[in-house]
Amino acid sequence: MSIKVFLFHRVNPHPDPIWPPITPGHFERIVKYLKRNFEVVPLEETLLGNYKPTKSKKLCAITFDDGYRDFIEYAMPVINKYKVPTSIYVITDCVDSCLPPWTYLFNFFLLNTSITSLEVESIEIPPSLRKNNWKNLEEKIDLIKQFSPILKTISDEGKEDIMQQMQVQITDVEMPKNLMLNWDEIRLLKNEGVEIGSHSGKHPALSKDFHLDSVRHELERSGKEIKAAIGKFPIAISYPFGIYNSQVKKIAKEVGYKMGLTVLPKPYTLNDDHFEIPRIELYSEPFYKTRFRMNGQLQVLKNVFSLERSIHPNR
Ligand SMILES: [Zn+2]
């Protein structure tokens, strides 16, 4: 038996030229489609064996990463209307600070500033990106799209340094407010049956370059903080950007998680490794494409034509 685990981030009607959220209407079409074609199951309870599917339909689960507040405003009404279970994975530092993850902030500051140049001193980024200027929005968006995937791969200290350099130069943009769920809201969601898990403490890429002690610290402290807030250590860790390796999996298990979620467009076969559960990310795009992703045809087409798998730098 297999289960398709779908991944969402933001659901709201506000346009974003870098990382468009899924609109509430698109989200409702998705949930309606899933409800009609699958049995939508609670991911963690099903994998733990506590929830028994009816077996009359294919299985799928709905998950959200990052913990944006638009989940309450735009996703929950649809989730409640169609009575489907869902799971959400929060970044504990973002809950504490009420600020979005650095991936969002980097885009937000650059998009909203009126300055037209940015200098970054860092040996960790290519020389071509250290002195930048742009003449219009298109050029600025191009720059953000070049920068984002590189920031994801550099050291944590290097990234924080670059974020600070950026904030020193961009003084005409205020921190975005009220974008993230707070602990009271997370407790309310838990009481409504939403499964709450960890998406780390500060959203680092847990790649081979990330120190193992830091991996342990990230996974353990975020789990403990969630336990302090909602009363139980989270069942699952969602690896930031879906990045993990065998040591990350081992540490996740050691600190107390029962499963780990990544991002790969394929179903999860029950009883496969619980620490590399693939999830199929869904995007803001025409509905027929989303339908292809949900029923697996897009992957088949991509395999046939050897098209590059799309990896979104903001995940
Ligand atoms: Zn994330």
Side-chain angles (χ1 to χ4, degrees):
M1 191 164 30
S2 72
I3 174 168
K4 281 184 179 173
V5 186
F6 295 105
L7 167 61
F8 300 87
H9 287 86
R10 295 177 305 151
V11 176
N12 70 59
H14 312 302
D16 180 334
I18 302 289
W19 186 29
I22 287 182
T23 62
H26 190 63
F27 183 67
E28 179 158 4
R29 284 187 80 179
I30 291 170
V31 173
K32 203 171 166 185
Y33 180 90
L34 295 180
K35 180 92 182 180
R36 196 184 307 135
N37 293 283
F38 294 84
E39 178 179 352
V40 187
V41 297
L43 177 64
E44 297 170 5
E45 286 298 291
T46 304
L47 297 194
L48 290 174
N50 299 334
Y51 177 87
K52 303 283 179 223
T54 62
K55 292 185 183 171
S56 61
K57 273 183 176 175
K58 294 173 288 180
L59 304 183
C60 83
I62 296 173
T63 69
F64 278 77
D65 271 2
D66 294 351
Y68 287 93
R69 177 176 277 138
D70 61 16
F71 179 80
I72 285 187
E73 198 172 347
Y74 297 105
M76 272 310 270
V78 177
I79 284 162
N80 288 335
K81 178 174 171 187
Y82 291 90
K83 297 185 173 55
V84 289
T86 184
S87 316
I88 187 163
Y89 299 92
V90 299
I91 309 161
T92 48
D93 283 1
C94 293
V95 186
D96 291 337
S97 65
C98 302
L99 290 175
W102 60 269
T103 42
Y104 185 96
L105 287 177
F106 182 81
N107 297 355
F108 181 85
F109 269 82
L110 272 173
L111 267 180
N112 290 290
T113 184
S114 60
I115 68 167
T116 54
S117 65
L118 180 74
E119 285 192 26
V120 179
E121 273 180 44
S122 169
I123 51 164
E124 292 190 77
I125 59 167
S128 60
L129 285 175
R130 291 181 199 164
K131 281 193 178 185
N132 311 283
N133 49 64
W134 51 89
K135 291 189 208 66
N136 52 42
L137 184 63
E138 265 182 8
E139 287 185 12
K140 189 160 68 171
I141 288 173
D142 260 6
L143 175 71
I144 298 172
K145 285 183 175 168
Q146 286 179 58
F147 240 111
S148 298
I150 291 167
L151 277 186
K152 198 178 83 178
T153 62
I154 70 175
S155 73
D156 239 34
E157 300 75 35
K159 194 168 58 209
E160 274 162 26
D161 181 43
I162 290 172
M163 292 296 285
Q164 274 178 9
Q165 291 184 44
M166 186 187 73
Q167 281 170 266
V168 167
Q169 291 168 71
I170 300 178
T171 54
D172 60 342
V173 180
E174 281 186 31
M175 280 286 182
K177 291 195 181 83
N178 301 322
L179 285 182
M180 308 310 286
L181 293 169
N182 62 38
W183 289 119
D184 284 340
E185 290 163 335
I186 291 167
R187 274 187 284 271
L188 273 176
L189 290 173
K190 185 197 167 238
N191 292 340
E192 287 195 39
V194 176
E195 294 180 334
I196 309 291
S198 167
H199 193 36
S200 81
K202 58 180 174 184
H203 209 278
L206 302 173
S207 61
K208 61 180 176 14
D209 303 322
F210 202 71
H211 200 280
L212 289 182
D213 286 344
S214 307
V215 173
R216 185 176 297 276
H217 181 64
E218 274 295 303
L219 301 192
E220 195 161 35
R221 76 183 176 98
S222 65
K224 281 183 175 170
E225 198 176 351
I226 290 171
K227 182 179 177 185
I230 67 169
K232 78 179 191 41
F233 196 88
I235 303 291
I237 170 80
S238 157
Y239 310 118
F241 309 104
I243 294 174
Y244 67 99
N245 56 37
S246 56
Q247 285 164 317
V248 171
K249 287 199 305 185
K250 186 167 164 275
I251 292 170
K253 202 179 290 182
E254 283 169 6
V255 303
Y257 295 98
K258 302 278 185 288
M259 55 194 75
L261 315 180
T262 180
V263 189
L264 259 185
K266 63 175 192 179
Y268 174 71
T269 303
L270 295 181
N271 300 325
D272 274 0
D273 189 343
H274 272 21
F275 283 86
E276 42 183 274
I277 296 168
R279 289 181 299 168
I280 302 156
E281 187 168 10
L282 299 179
Y283 304 95
S284 165
E285 61 189 358
F287 187 72
Y288 76 89
K289 269 194 164 179
T290 300
R291 202 173 54 225
F292 277 164
R293 285 186 206 280
M294 291 188 286
N295 61 30
Q297 287 164 327
L298 196 68
Q299 201 48 39
V300 172
L301 288 175
K302 281 184 172 176
N303 290 343
V304 168
F305 295 107
S306 303
L307 296 174
E308 205 181 329
R309 183 163 62 89
S310 80
I311 296 181
H312 202 287
N314 285 304
R315 191 182 292 139

PDB file of all heavy atoms in Angstrom, residues 9 65-66 199 203 315, ligand 1:
ATOM      1  N   HIS A   9       3.018  25.278   1.122  1.00  0.00           N
ATOM      2  CA  HIS A   9       3.651  26.269   1.993  1.00  0.00           C
ATOM      3  C   HIS A   9       2.647  27.371   2.345  1.00  0.00           C
ATOM      4  O   HIS A   9       2.151  27.439   3.439  1.00  0.00           O
ATOM      5  CB  HIS A   9       4.887  26.873   1.332  1.00  0.00           C
ATOM      6  CG  HIS A   9       6.055  25.933   1.288  1.00  0.00           C
ATOM      7  ND1 HIS A   9       6.236  25.021   0.293  1.00  0.00           N
ATOM      8  CD2 HIS A   9       7.084  25.761   2.143  1.00  0.00           C
ATOM      9  CE1 HIS A   9       7.329  24.314   0.533  1.00  0.00           C
ATOM     10  NE2 HIS A   9       7.873  24.748   1.651  1.00  0.00           N
ATOM     11  N   ASP A  65       4.551  23.150   5.253  1.00  0.00           N
ATOM     12  CA  ASP A  65       5.835  23.494   5.870  1.00  0.00           C
ATOM     13  C   ASP A  65       5.893  24.985   6.205  1.00  0.00           C
ATOM     14  O   ASP A  65       5.224  25.803   5.554  1.00  0.00           O
ATOM     15  CB  ASP A  65       6.991  23.179   4.906  1.00  0.00           C
ATOM     16  CG  ASP A  65       7.484  21.743   5.068  1.00  0.00           C
ATOM     17  OD1 ASP A  65       6.906  20.996   5.883  1.00  0.00           O
ATOM     18  OD2 ASP A  65       8.446  21.384   4.372  1.00  0.00           O
ATOM     19  N   ASP A  66       6.712  25.320   7.168  1.00  0.00           N
ATOM     20  CA  ASP A  66       7.109  26.688   7.527  1.00  0.00           C
ATOM     21  C   ASP A  66       6.240  27.346   8.610  1.00  0.00           C
ATOM     22  O   ASP A  66       6.746  28.069   9.434  1.00  0.00           O
ATOM     23  CB  ASP A  66       7.198  27.637   6.321  1.00  0.00           C
ATOM     24  CG  ASP A  66       8.327  27.261   5.355  1.00  0.00           C
ATOM     25  OD1 ASP A  66       9.130  26.371   5.715  1.00  0.00           O
ATOM     26  OD2 ASP A  66       8.396  27.830   4.257  1.00  0.00           O
ATOM     27  N   HIS A 199      10.040  21.753  11.803  1.00  0.00           N
ATOM     28  CA  HIS A 199      10.713  22.057  10.528  1.00  0.00           C
ATOM     29  C   HIS A 199      12.050  22.732  10.870  1.00  0.00           C
ATOM     30  O   HIS A 199      12.490  23.624  10.188  1.00  0.00           O
ATOM     31  CB  HIS A 199       9.808  22.955   9.687  1.00  0.00           C
ATOM     32  CG  HIS A 199      10.203  23.104   8.244  1.00  0.00           C
ATOM     33  ND1 HIS A 199      10.740  22.087   7.499  1.00  0.00           N
ATOM     34  CD2 HIS A 199      10.108  24.177   7.403  1.00  0.00           C
ATOM     35  CE1 HIS A 199      10.962  22.535   6.259  1.00  0.00           C
ATOM     36  NE2 HIS A 199      10.605  23.793   6.182  1.00  0.00           N
ATOM     37  N   HIS A 203      15.743  26.787  10.139  1.00  0.00           N
ATOM     38  CA  HIS A 203      15.635  26.486   8.710  1.00  0.00           C
ATOM     39  C   HIS A 203      16.979  26.443   7.980  1.00  0.00           C
ATOM     40  O   HIS A 203      17.131  27.048   6.912  1.00  0.00           O
ATOM     41  CB  HIS A 203      14.693  27.494   8.031  1.00  0.00           C
ATOM     42  CG  HIS A 203      13.981  26.927   6.830  1.00  0.00           C
ATOM     43  ND1 HIS A 203      14.570  26.851   5.582  1.00  0.00           N
ATOM     44  CD2 HIS A 203      12.745  26.400   6.678  1.00  0.00           C
ATOM     45  CE1 HIS A 203      13.704  26.321   4.723  1.00  0.00           C
ATOM     46  NE2 HIS A 203      12.597  26.026   5.368  1.00  0.00           N
ATOM     47  N   ARG A 315      11.906  26.622  -0.613  1.00  0.00           N
ATOM     48  CA  ARG A 315      11.282  25.595   0.204  1.00  0.00           C
ATOM     49  C   ARG A 315      11.805  25.592   1.627  1.00  0.00           C
ATOM     50  O   ARG A 315      11.147  25.439   2.570  1.00  0.00           O
ATOM     51  CB  ARG A 315      11.578  24.252  -0.443  1.00  0.00           C
ATOM     52  CG  ARG A 315      10.793  23.126   0.135  1.00  0.00           C
ATOM     53  CD  ARG A 315      11.203  21.839  -0.537  1.00  0.00           C
ATOM     54  NE  ARG A 315      10.792  21.809  -1.918  1.00  0.00           N
ATOM     55  CZ  ARG A 315      11.564  21.339  -2.907  1.00  0.00           C
ATOM     56  NH1 ARG A 315      12.768  20.911  -2.683  1.00  0.00           N
ATOM     57  NH2 ARG A 315      11.119  21.305  -4.139  1.00  0.00           N
TER      58      ARG A 315
HETATM   59 ZN    ZN B   1      10.741  25.320   4.692  1.00  0.00          ZN
END
